[in-house]
Amino acid sequence: MPEGEISLSRPDITAQDERLVLEALRSGRLSIGPMQEEFERLVASAAGCSHGIAVSSGTAGLHLAMLALGVGEGDEVITTPFSFIASANCILYVGARPVFCDICPQTLNMDPAKVEAAITPRTKAIIAVEAFGNPAYMDAYANIAAKHEIPLIEDSCEALGTVCNGRRCGSYGRAGVFGFYPNKQITTGEGGMIVTDDDHLADMCRSLRNQGRPARMSGSLGNWLRHERLGFNYRLSELNCALGVSQMRRLDELIERRREIARAYIDRLRSSSEIMLPTIEEGCELSWFVFVVRLSTEYSQRERDRILLGLRNHDVGCADYFPCIHLQPPYEALGFEAGSFPIAESVSHRTIALPFHTRLSERDIDLVCQTLELMNSREQLSRD
Ligand SMILES: *Cc1c(COP(=O)(O)O)cnc(C)c1O
């Protein structure tokens, strides 16, 4: 990171976090220990679920959810084209076919009517994503899933700690999945967590993450080399879990700070006619994963890209969250093509993720907003 750059994201690590990681390191127990147990308990409780299964990444969690539900060859799974690629890749991992549904232009989540229309006898699951942490329609997807007796998997990797009308993100579906990459609300470096109320699904995920060993080890190591099914090593080390425990203890404080930053951005940008701000559903308390604004429809993708470049040249970190999944090479190779999901495509051409983390100062936010306005006006001037 160049000196003076305002970074797009940054983890919030304190001396308290360092102490707990060091404690785990010195304990001699580096995998499958008390930190994992405590981390699982804390995340499950933050999601209002009875089980938490810590895994090595959010992606690993989504993969295990697909396997534990028995999704495989010949099955279809409904999901959104407007997300981080992991939410669809897990469908390809198990040999199933992603069926994308276009999004609503306000919420950026799948249009529930399109989800229901996409259901066929082959539909084996729905993976819903809270785009940028927005829980819009999660209850609608849950109702559709229940009506058609199809499991809903909630990819809540962007929504840890968000509560909507009393309901916690992660708890809408048969299972929810969180991710703890360094840009998320809390981090473990790398890591993820599956949460569920389903005892059987939980045991299946515990077994699958641990080389197919029995979900519960007997007291001795008697069954350590018994592998009941084809499993994976998707475990999360005690060092990662210790960082997770310490971060979870600060979750409320971290979220409060993110809300302050989001409010500061909204105050400064709300009067701009060029910029659309994120919408927040009524009754929802967002935990704010990122702060993504959208340029008005007069802007082309090329203009947006030039604005991103201009921001970076002025030391403002930024990103084009998210290019559509169906237009990424592995999906184009499967026959998906431009024009299929026009709303997602149009939105993805005009988004700008601005610097967003707990250490931003008022001055940083002023600088970001002023630079953004400058870049926008430069684009407009070059247009006429
Ligand atoms: C971050 C994220 C994931 C998981 O990412 P990992 O890097 O594997 O932890 C999955 N889905 C979405 C929508 C995400 O934002």
Side-chain angles (χ1 to χ4, degrees), residues 220 291 298 312 363:
S220 73
F291 197 84
E298 287 110 71
R312 287 192 194 121
R363 190 175 154 274

Side-chain angles (χ1 to χ4, degrees), residues 355-367:
F356 192 72
H357 54 81
T358 54
R359 306 287 171 87
L360 286 176
S361 66
E362 291 277 324
R363 190 175 154 274
D364 291 334
I365 299 170
D366 283 337
L367 258 165

Side-chain angles (χ1 to χ4, degrees), residues 31 58 87 131 172 195 237 304 366:
S31 185
S87 56
Y172 284 92
V195 293
S237 86
R304 189 277 312 266
D366 283 337

Side-chain angles (χ1 to χ4, degrees), residues 56-60 62 83-84 86-87 129-130 155 157-158 178-181 183-184 190-192 289 322:
S56 51
S57 68
T59 307
L62 290 166
S83 174
F84 180 60
S87 56
V129 182
E130 282 109 355
D155 177 347
C157 286
E158 305 185 354
F178 295 107
F180 310 119
Y181 189 73
N183 67 341
K184 311 281 181 179
E190 296 283 358
F289 166 50
F322 282 110

